[in-house]
Amino acid sequence: MSTADLLLHPVRMRILQTLFDTDPMTTAQLRDRLPDIAPATMYRQIAVLTDAGVLEVVDERRVRGTVERSYRIRPKQAVVDPAARAAMTREDHQRAFTTFAASLMADFGRYLAHENAAPVSDGVVYRQAAVCLTDDEFAVMVEEIERAVLARVSHAEGDGRTRRIVSLVVVPDKPRPEPRANPGPEPGTGTGTERPTDQAK
């Protein structure tokens, strides 16, 4: 199974989102956080992630005749590797984005289902902006955003801190035009080999 197929699965994605940058959690704790996922499905998908090395068992203890395991994410394994990303087709990207968007909708729906949900005072934010950047400028912007988020992920919940899910989506307005392989001279500019000073003489 490719890392894209492994990670971009609706249930597995939610499990990873719940475990991201938290203390290790048991399956029972995950079920408390994700009560709409059937127990059998939860156990099965945790096993898939563990067998793939995305989750690791950090503790085991016997509880009423069964073994209770605590899991945490192995961060380097919880990303779609470049080779798998490069091999994704347009249909793969469509499926992956649909899964991602559905996960966002589910998170928002679960939040709104709380009786005391108050989007404005709780700091719910969803905004969109367009920027025109070179590839280098774009890389710097993404790095700045990631650095700002990663600098805060170690903060523990409590002491006035609320756990919030931060998602990043960047979509070009349209594909970039393909560069011409061997562009000829523009009309009226000669052979295209003259230096500017030669043209000025």
Side-chain angles (χ1 to χ4, degrees):
M1 183 186 301
S2 72
T3 54
D5 289 333
L6 175 68
L7 301 175
L8 299 176
H9 176 281
V11 175
R12 293 195 285 269
M13 183 181 290
R14 289 180 59 194
I15 292 171
L16 294 175
Q17 285 176 335
T18 304
L19 283 169
F20 183 70
D21 284 303
T22 65
D23 293 330
M25 299 178 67
T26 65
T27 304
Q29 290 171 321
L30 283 167
R31 288 177 56 193
D32 288 340
R33 290 283 190 97
L34 303 169
D36 57 311
I37 297 178
T41 301
M42 176 75 75
Y43 282 106
R44 183 168 61 252
Q45 300 306 337
I46 287 175
V48 170
L49 290 169
T50 304
D51 291 344
V54 178
L55 297 183
E56 62 178 338
V57 178
V58 295
D59 186 39
E60 292 184 342
R61 63 192 186 106
R62 188 163 294 279
V63 178
R64 293 189 295 275
T66 64
V67 176
E68 183 179 69
R69 297 180 175 88
S70 296
Y71 300 89
R72 71 181 172 196
I73 291 178
R74 299 176 65 196
K76 292 183 179 180
Q77 304 299 321
V79 293
V80 178
D81 64 69
R85 184 173 176 80
M88 290 173 67
T89 65
R90 293 185 183 183
E91 291 74 19
D92 290 335
H93 280 287
Q94 179 68 61
R95 179 171 56 85
F97 187 82
T98 299
T99 300
F100 178 78
S103 177
L104 287 180
M105 292 291 292
D107 288 335
F108 194 55
R110 281 189 297 276
Y111 160 72
L112 290 179
H114 290 284
E115 186 176 343
N116 60 342
V120 175
S121 60
D122 286 342
V124 173
V125 178
Y126 41 92
R127 295 174 183 161
Q128 200 170 40
V131 293
C132 295
L133 304 170
T134 66
D135 287 350
D136 288 342
E137 291 169 337
F138 172 69
V140 170
M141 184 190 73
V142 172
E143 183 181 349
E144 289 172 347
I145 295 171
E146 290 180 341
R147 188 164 56 243
V149 174
L150 290 174
R152 295 163 173 81
V153 295
S154 60
H155 294 172
E157 194 170 5
D159 295 329
R161 291 191 174 110
T162 301
R163 178 178 166 87
R164 292 179 169 89
I165 298 173
V166 179
S167 303
L168 175 64
V169 178
V170 178
V171 181
D173 187 46
K174 58 185 176 182
R176 288 183 292 192
E178 292 289 336
R180 289 184 292 176
N182 186 23
E186 295 295 326
T189 61
T191 63
T193 60
E194 302 93 334
R195 294 173 299 171
T197 52
D198 292 332
Q199 294 181 19
K201 291 179 180 178

